[in-house]
Amino acid sequence: MTTLKPQTALGGFALVTLLLAGAAVGRVFGVSFGEALYLTGLVLVVLGWITNWLMLHCISPSEDQEA
């Protein structure tokens, strides 16, 4: 049986923690638990997409600029 690497376990723990924290904040604002989980997941995906897009387009130099 394979074991989890420490970074995998830490990432999973962080993801579950963020989802539950977002659901708790959603419940404070009167949103149902399922909707709060969905919105939190959606926000995490959008933030990940934006971060990835910025890293690909703004931080790393483009091949066109080198020529």
Side-chain angles (χ1 to χ4, degrees):
M1 183 173 176
T2 60
T3 58
L4 287 177
K5 293 183 179 181
Q7 61 266 30
T8 304
L10 184 62
F13 176 75
L15 180 61
V16 169
T17 302
L18 286 172
L19 284 171
L20 291 176
V25 170
R27 291 293 295 153
V28 169
F29 289 121
V31 181
S32 72
F33 184 74
E35 290 174 344
L37 274 178
Y38 176 79
L39 290 173
T40 303
L42 184 66
V43 167
L44 289 174
V45 167
V46 168
L47 288 176
W49 180 81
I50 289 171
T51 303
N52 186 40
W53 188 86
L54 288 173
M55 288 177 64
L56 288 175
H57 290 91
C58 297
I59 295 175
S60 61
S62 176
E63 292 179 3
D64 294 336
Q65 293 175 353
E66 293 175 3

